[in-house]
Amino acid sequence: IILRTVLNKKVPLQMGRMCYSSSVPTTKLLIDGKFIESKTSEWLDIHNPATNEVVGRVPKATQEEMLAAVDSCSRAYRPWSDTSILSRQQIFLRYQQLIKDNIKELAKLITLEQGKTLADAEGDVYRGLRKPKTNPCVFYVFHICISLHMLLVYFILAPHFLLPEVVEYACSIPSLMLGETLPSITKDMDTFTYRLPIGVCAGIAPFNFPAMIPLWMFPIGMVCGNTYLMKPSERVPGCTMLLAKLLQDAGAPDGTLNIIHGQHAAVNFICDHPAIKAISFVGSNPAGEHIYERGSKNGKRVQSNMGAKNHGVVMPDANKENTINQLVGAAFGAAGQRCMALSTAIFVGESRDWLPELVERSKSLRVNAGDQPGADVGPLISPEAKVRVESLIQSGVDEGAKLLLDGRNTNVKGYENGNFVGPTILSGVSPAMKCYTEEIFGPVLVVLEADTLDEAITLINNNPYGNGTAIFTTNGATARKYTHEVDVGQIGVNVPIPVPLPMFSFTGSRGSFRGDTNFYGKQGISFYTQIKTVTSQWKAEDATVTSPAVTMPT
Ligand code: NAD
C-alpha cells in the first residue's frame, strides 16, 4: 500500500493490482448446503475497478472440491426432481421477495466488484424482478423533469422497472411445464407427454452482469427440477454468493445449488464431468466456442451466448432528440460493457449532420466511481480492459478514423487509480478497421455512414455477430423492411437495447450464439427439460390378443 501510494503517479495500475492484504475477505464455496473455505493454495484477487484496490479473494477450487460439488448435486437430484412442482414454485415465490428485500445490498456488491453505477446495478438485479409498485405516469413526469444524464438512465432501465423478469417468470412453472395429450389416437389408445428435468446442470457466467446472468441460469434450471452447479465469473463472485444465500433462505434444500470458483480448470471440469447433462454459458467468443465444442463432444446440451457488435441505424426521418439520447445512453451506459450496447452507429443520408450534437451530448455524461452520486459512466473492469480499449481507439486513429471525442486520459478526482475511459466517438470508420471488426466492450461508439437503408443492412449482415440491433425511424415501412431483412437475433425499432423480457427468449444469433435453444422464456424451459411420451391402451371389453403381430403397428 505504501509502495502504491509512493509510486501512485508512475505505475498506478500495476501497483494497484499488486496491492494485497491477507485481511481481505475470501469468497466461499457452496458445497452441499454449506459455505466453506477452499483448501486450495491458488487464489485470485478481486479488485474494485474504481480504485484497483483488492476487495476480496476468490479460490481456484481444487479437483476434490469440484467433485464434491457435483456429487452433492447428483445426490440432491432425485429428491428435488420428485418434489411437487407447487413446492418448487413456492420456494421461488419466496426467493423473488427476498431478492427485492435485499436489492440495495446486491447492488452495492455489484458496484464494488464490477464498477457499474448503483442505479445501473439495481437494474442488473431488477432483471430478476419487478419494481415495487411505481405508477408509470409518475415515472414519466419525474424523468421528463430531471437532468439529461438521468434521462439516459431512464432509456436503459425503464423497461426493467416496469415489467416482470426472470425469477418471477420461473414462478409460473406449473403452466410452463405442462405436457401435451391426445386422447383416442386409435381405439382405446391415448398418448400424452410429460416435460421432465434432465439431471445436474451447470452455469458459467461473465463479469458484466453479476446478478442478471446467473439469474438467467440457476432459477430456470432448478425450478424445472434439476440441480445446479454454478461457476460465477472469478472477477465478480460476491453477488452470486449472496443470491445463493437468499435461495437457501427461501427454502431450497441442501445440494440443489452448489457453487465452485475458478477459471479454465473449473470450466473444463464442467465440460468433462459425465454427471453434468447441460451447460449454460455466457461470455466471450473464445471461451464460448471452446465450451460449446468440448461440452457437446461429451454429450451435453450446451447453450452459449457470446460476443457482439450491435449496430444502431439512424434514418434521417427519425425523431432527432430521442435518437441522440438513446444512442448516447446505449453506447456509453455501463461503460459500454453490455453485450447489447449499441457500439456502432450507421448514419443514413442526412442524419450524418447530427454528429456534432451527438458529441456534445456525450460530453455531458459524468465519468465517476459507480457509488458516487450523479455518476453516468463507471470504470472498466480491469487495467487490462482499459489498455485494450485504449489501444483499439488508437488503432482507429492510425487507420484513418476521426476521433470526435477522446475519453482516454480521463482523470477522475479521488479515483486516479481507477480503470476509467470516458465516452469516445470515432467517425469515418470503415468495415476493415480493427475498431470495427473487434468487439471493443468499452465506452466507444464507432460511426459509419451509408447512403441508403439497403447499404446499412448489407453492412450489418456482413458482420459476423448477430446479437442485437436497433433502427431509429418514424416510417413504418422502413422499420418493417429493416426487421425483415436484417439477420440479427434481437431487433429494436426506436428501442436501443431490445433485450426481450422473459416471457420471450434472449435470441442472439450467428456469431453471437452457439446451440439451438436460447436462454429463458419457453426456449429456456425446453433447454432444461426433456420429454417423455406415453402411449397407453385400456380396452373396455376383454379382447385377448390371439396371435403375435410382427408388422409395425399403425
Ligand atoms: P469471458 O469469456 O472472459 O468469461 C466468461 C466465463 O468464462 C468466466 O466464468 C471465465 O472464468 C470463463 N473463461 C474465460 N476464458 C476462458 C477460456 N479461455 N476457457 C474457458 N473458460 C474461460 O467473458 P467476460 O469478459 O467475463 O464477459 C464479456 C464477454 O461476454 C463479452 O464478449 C460480451 O459480449 C459477452 N456477453 C455476452 C452476452 C450475451 O448474452 N450474448 C451477455 C453478457 C456478456
Side-chain angles (χ1 to χ4, degrees):
I1 291 169
I2 292 166
L3 268 177
R4 190 166 53 89
T5 312
V6 172
L7 299 174
N8 193 10
K9 294 240 152 45
K10 284 185 183 148
V11 279
L13 301 178
Q14 288 76 2
M15 293 315 295
R17 289 185 71 73
M18 279 157 56
C19 152
Y20 175 75
S21 156
S22 59
S23 63
V24 297
T26 52
T27 311
K28 306 291 181 278
L29 303 164
L30 174 59
I31 299 181
D32 216 25
K34 290 175 199 65
F35 289 90
I36 59 165
E37 186 85 14
S38 174
K39 294 196 164 50
T40 189
S41 55
E42 290 182 87
W43 294 82
L44 301 162
D45 289 341
I46 304 165
H47 297 91
N48 176 348
T51 60
N52 271 308
E53 276 163 356
V54 177
V55 292
R57 292 193 302 155
V58 64
K60 290 187 181 178
T62 65
Q63 182 76 4
E64 248 177 24
E65 289 162 347
M66 295 193 287
L67 284 168
V70 178
D71 189 44
S72 167
C73 284
S74 299
R75 278 184 282 109
Y77 173 63
R78 187 49 61 199
W80 177 242
S81 59
D82 285 346
T83 304
S84 86
I85 198 160
L86 297 179
S87 308
R88 297 205 298 267
Q89 180 193 37
Q90 286 305 313
I91 289 171
F92 280 90
L93 280 165
R94 288 195 290 275
Y95 188 42
Q96 57 86 32
Q97 185 58 48
L98 283 172
I99 296 176
K100 258 175 214 165
D101 295 345
N102 288 276
I103 193 111
K104 297 279 177 211
E105 278 315 300
L106 288 160
K108 267 190 227 158
L109 271 173
I110 294 173
T111 300
L112 178 71
E113 294 183 351
Q114 202 275 352
K116 63 178 72 175
T117 64
L118 278 171
D120 200 21
E122 287 196 22
D124 191 332
V125 185
Y126 278 132
R127 294 301 311 197
L129 296 167
R130 176 179 52 208
K131 185 179 169 66
K133 281 197 187 139
T134 302
N135 181 338
C137 300
V138 174
F139 209 70
Y140 274 84
V141 171
F142 172 69
H143 279 280
I144 287 165
C145 296
I146 56 175
S147 65
L148 171 66
H149 77 273
M150 282 307 292
L151 199 64
L152 299 172
V153 170
Y154 162 78
F155 281 117
I156 303 302
L157 296 182
H160 311 171
F161 283 132
L162 300 174
L163 292 161
E165 303 249 15
V166 178
V167 180
E168 288 176 340
Y169 178 76
C171 298
S172 325
I173 196 64
S175 332
L176 296 170
M177 271 188 86
L178 285 176
E180 295 174 333
T181 62
L182 193 56
S184 302
I185 56 164
T186 186
K187 187 151 175 23
D188 301 324
M189 188 178 281
D190 311 312
T191 298
F192 46 95
T193 64
Y194 296 106
R195 193 171 274 285
L196 298 166
I198 50 180
V200 179
C201 300
I204 302 166
F207 80 84
N208 66 328
F209 281 101
M212 179 185 82
I213 289 176
L215 289 175
W216 287 359
M217 296 176 173
F218 66 82
I220 298 291
M222 287 175 66
V223 82
C224 290
N226 304 289
T227 52
Y228 215 93
L229 178 68
M230 194 66 215
K231 194 209 84 66
S233 166
E234 64 278 16
R235 295 188 271 189
V236 294
C239 183
T240 302
M241 299 316 290
L242 180 50
L243 286 170
K245 170 76 176 63
L246 297 177
L247 186 59
Q248 270 192 344
D249 294 347
D254 291 352
T256 51
L257 176 66
N258 285 273
I259 299 179
I260 58 171
H261 300 290
Q263 292 174 306
H264 301 47
V267 167
N268 287 339
F269 171 86
I270 288 172
C271 293
D272 295 344
H273 197 293
I276 295 171
K277 303 294 178 215
I279 305 174
S280 290
F281 168 81
V282 179
S284 65
N285 280 60
E289 283 161 19
H290 167 76
I291 290 164
Y292 182 79
E293 272 152 39
R294 191 156 172 161
S296 305
K297 213 181 245 174
N298 285 321
K300 303 177 198 313
R301 293 181 183 186
V302 184
Q303 53 178 194
S304 182
N305 266 12
M306 302 180 293
K309 198 81 182 173
N310 307 310
H311 299 70
V313 174
V314 183
M315 299 303 291
D317 60 32
N319 176 318
K320 185 174 159 189
E321 280 300 299
N322 278 348
T323 303
I324 292 177
N325 283 335
Q326 297 202 35
L327 266 182
V328 172
F332 305 126
Q337 297 178 118
R338 289 190 181 117
C339 65
M340 288 289 279
L342 273 187
S343 55
T344 308
I346 305 180
F347 282 82
V348 177
E350 289 142 27
S351 68
R352 65 189 57 151
D353 298 342
W354 304 353
L355 268 174
E357 264 179 77
L358 179 81
V359 172
E360 281 316 303
R361 228 160 285 186
S362 306
K363 277 184 193 166
S364 69
L365 296 183
R366 280 177 271 178
V367 182
N368 208 339
D371 60 0
Q372 291 305 300
D376 295 310
V377 178
L380 292 169
I381 186 70
S382 64
E384 292 79 7
K386 180 176 150 99
V387 168
R388 196 180 49 78
V389 168
E390 291 184 341
S391 77
L392 281 166
I393 296 170
Q394 189 56 43
S395 78
V397 175
D398 296 343
E399 290 181 291
K402 224 169 154 185
L403 191 54
L404 297 184
L405 183 62
D406 187 358
R408 295 173 297 178
N409 305 316
T410 295
N411 188 21
V412 179
K413 201 158 176 277
Y415 295 91
E416 288 76 10
N417 278 357
N419 314 315
F420 294 96
V421 176
T424 298
I425 300 178
L426 282 163
S427 74
V429 171
S430 68
M433 290 182 189
K434 201 169 164 198
C435 63
Y436 179 76
T437 55
E438 291 203 11
E439 181 183 30
I440 300 178
F441 222 55
V444 182
L445 180 68
V446 301
V447 177
L448 291 84
E449 290 174 12
D451 291 330
T452 62
L453 178 61
D454 283 314
E455 208 182 295
I457 292 172
T458 306
L459 244 170
I460 296 167
N461 289 348
N462 284 339
N463 188 284
Y465 293 108
N467 212 39
T469 185
I471 186 165
F472 301 95
T473 180
T474 49
N475 183 316
T478 301
R480 188 174 188 284
K481 176 182 164 70
Y482 187 74
T483 54
H484 279 248
E485 293 183 16
V486 81
D487 187 7
V488 174
Q490 303 172 109
I491 305 169
V493 176
N494 300 316
V495 174
I497 301 194
V499 176
L501 290 155
M503 60 293 285
F504 298 95
S505 298
F506 189 100
T507 52
S509 65
R510 296 196 284 139
S512 299
F513 180 67
R514 288 256 182 125
D516 57 7
T517 315
N518 293 112
F519 278 79
Y520 64 78
K522 285 186 190 146
Q523 295 207 34
I525 302 295
S526 291
F527 182 78
Y528 284 118
T529 53
Q530 57 189 327
I531 303 290
K532 187 184 270 182
T533 309
V534 178
T535 301
S536 60
Q537 190 173 44
W538 292 101
K539 288 179 185 292
E541 69 276 14
D542 183 20
T544 307
V545 178
T546 51
S547 61
V550 291
T551 54
M552 185 72 186
T554 56

